[in-house]
Amino acid sequence: MHRELNEADIQKIAGTYHAWRGDKDAGPYQDILGFCKAAKLADIAAHGFVLTPGRHVGAAQVEDDGEPFDEKMKRLVATLNEQFVESAKLETAIKTNLKALGYAD
């Protein structure tokens, strides 16, 4: 998934970086669950020197949207099935176009 950063995102990232560096007027740095963490070498070593963010930064709390799990799963599965149908149509169209160009298998 592609996400374009907006001005607020850029400011948050830059502000966090400057605070972490201890830059003047940047304010104090603090770890933010799901966003940033200043990991100590011992913590990194404990994870086998693997630097994937999830091992160190963790995940932010997700608010409950109030939709019951069973209803959400049914809705998501229905959406996924619609996407499978669209995917099959696109695959057929691509194969047709390739055949018309002389690249059929």
Side-chain angles (χ1 to χ4, degrees):
M1 182 167 86
H2 173 78
R3 177 173 177 234
E4 191 168 323
L5 299 176
N6 62 34
E7 189 60 33
D9 295 329
I10 294 168
Q11 289 301 317
K12 181 178 181 180
I13 293 166
T16 302
Y17 170 72
H18 289 290
W20 174 81
R21 281 185 24 162
D23 291 352
K24 184 179 180 199
D25 300 325
Y29 169 82
Q30 64 181 26
D31 293 337
I32 301 170
L33 188 62
F35 180 68
C36 63
K37 178 176 180 172
K40 305 278 188 233
L41 183 58
D43 295 334
I44 296 169
H47 289 282
F49 296 96
V50 175
L51 297 176
T52 53
R55 291 184 185 244
H56 303 283
V57 177
Q61 292 274 349
V62 177
E63 288 187 35
D64 182 4
D65 60 6
E67 184 177 11
F69 179 79
D70 190 54
E71 289 177 24
K72 181 181 275 190
M73 283 303 298
K74 287 177 182 175
R75 178 178 57 77
L76 292 172
V77 168
T79 300
L80 184 60
N81 285 328
E82 291 170 7
Q83 292 171 340
F84 285 151
V85 169
E86 182 65 20
S87 172
K89 289 178 187 176
L90 291 171
E91 181 179 350
T92 299
I94 291 168
K95 286 181 178 181
T96 300
N97 289 336
L98 288 172
K99 185 176 182 181
L101 294 170
Y103 294 102
D105 51 339

